[in-house]
Amino acid sequence: MSKPRVYITREIPSVGLELIKKYFEVEVWPEYWAPPREILLEKVKNIDGLVSLLTDKIDAELLDKAKNLKIISQYAVGYDNIDLSYATKKGVYVTNTPGVLTDSTADLTFALILAITRRIVEADKFVRDGSWERSRTGWHPLMLLGMELKGKTLGIIGMGRIGRAVAQRALGFEMNILYYDVNKLPPEEEKRLNAQYASLEELLEKSDVVSIHTDLNKSTYHLINEERLKRMKKTAYIINVARGPIIDTQALVKALKEGWIAGAGLDVFESEPLPSNHELTKLNNVVIVPHIGSATHEARNGMAMKVATNLIEFLNGRVPPDLVNKEVVNVRKPGFY
């Protein structure tokens, strides 16, 4: 019996890729950038499994082209790039990679918080471009003043795995924690994290740092808009390591330019890659990094292993451990044959 055919839309860490190759006939898109739409539509025609990234649009058109497709093993936690309901209707299993990137993303969140509140990028540039030398002083009482975190309020929007990991780290900085989520935490978890539930409006009004960790869906698209940015303190900062479209970019640019808020730390954007001449790149009160929330060896290897495990479990006729569209089991049983 021939091996099922799997197409992988980008090279993934070898720890997962080599494992997949043991069980499947594999083709990997060889370029650093995403495969063009027309190529992806052609490649899916004769595959049994697809390993996709967030940048791959898996919509009804593609699913209709992929006549033999039975599983999409997404190399990401999010899956807003996939038409989940249509995949379920077609009997296509969709899996993701939760858990293994929680710590790396929470670490980056705090890196961005510290970078923007202590003006690290601004200070680095101050040294490199000669401004420090031209100032003719090694130290000044008013040089590059920032904000201490101790005693300040951190507002967390979305209290899932990553949100809770961020709250855990905030305890070490002796911050007060407010959180907003569609589901309240159990009382014992609120106590453990010293976290207090608040409405979104209250959180925005009271927080010194607002950190976004919610999913992107219809209800969270442009959740942070002009009206809500104006609710924040002028001394407050906003951090986004979730999904770019949760913040209205033009409203954020306006807020940063006009001083509605003090600054922002961003890992994700409405359009990626962010153009080098974008308005955000010209502002000193924003730290921008290129979607590196999970960019650690540990996290990316863990994601690769989850992708492989989900495919292999499905191959063996078992429900993959990270199945997203659980209703699909009522449409067809797991397995390629």
Side-chain angles (χ1 to χ4, degrees), residues 133-179:
E133 183 179 20
R134 288 192 295 273
S135 74
R136 296 188 297 169
T137 181
W139 189 92
H140 191 283
L142 302 181
M143 182 188 291
L144 291 163
L145 301 184
M147 182 184 80
E148 290 185 9
L149 297 183
K150 181 179 178 179
K152 299 302 192 298
T153 297
L154 172 64
I156 299 175
I157 300 174
M159 207 59 152
R161 290 185 185 91
I162 296 171
R164 293 196 302 274
V166 170
Q168 182 72 50
R169 284 155 175 75
L171 293 176
F173 287 87
E174 299 181 48
M175 299 185 78
N176 303 308
I177 299 168
L178 295 177
Y179 78 94

Side-chain angles (χ1 to χ4, degrees), residues 5 23 99 131 138 160 165 181 195 229 244 258 267 296:
R5 289 162 295 186
Y23 297 90
S131 296
D181 198 296
L229 285 165
E258 297 183 9
D267 181 45
T296 63

